[in-house]
């Protein structure tokens, strides 16, 4: 229900395709300038403070979005879960693992 009316955009960049997304977990990538500009949000004790059991990542990314930042998730995914049934599609993960070990 949270995303019942969600509309996403597909964005083409020089490094690949991305889908707009309202939030993600705390495993993400961005450039250092973005971190510097948004430092006060990332260090907000109500979102990522030491007293929290886990970061409130959805609220963090919602706050970033309200401040004009956007989030894109790569298509196809460039990360995956480590459970066979939950692997990101369109990637030959066995070939990828073999490539890493060479």
């Amino acid at each position: 229900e949270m995303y019942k009316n969600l509309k996403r955009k597909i964005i083409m960049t020089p490094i690949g395709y991305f889908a707009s997304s309202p939030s993600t977990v705390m495993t993400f990538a961005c450039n250092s300038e973005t971190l510097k500009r948004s430092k006060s949000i990332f260090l907000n004790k109500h979102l990522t403070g030491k007293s929290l059991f886990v970061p409130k990542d959805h609220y963090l990314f919602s706050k970033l979005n309200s401040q004009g930042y956007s989030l894109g998730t790569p298509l196809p995914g460039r990360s995956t879960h480590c459970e066979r049934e939950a692997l990101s599609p369109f990637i030959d993960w066995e070939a990828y693992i073999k490539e890493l070990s060479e």
Side-chain angles (χ1 to χ4, degrees), residues 76-77 80 84 87-100:
T80 194
R84 187 173 294 276
L87 294 174
S88 187
F90 312 116
I91 304 289
D92 183 345
W93 291 104
E94 289 184 23
Y96 180 71
I97 291 168
K98 286 179 185 174
E99 183 182 312
L100 289 176

Side-chain angles (χ1 to χ4, degrees), residues 30-42 69:
C30 68
N31 65 43
S32 62
E33 281 303 311
T34 300
L35 283 178
K36 288 175 188 173
R37 285 194 318 267
S38 57
K39 179 181 176 179
S40 65
I41 299 170
F42 278 101
Y69 294 93

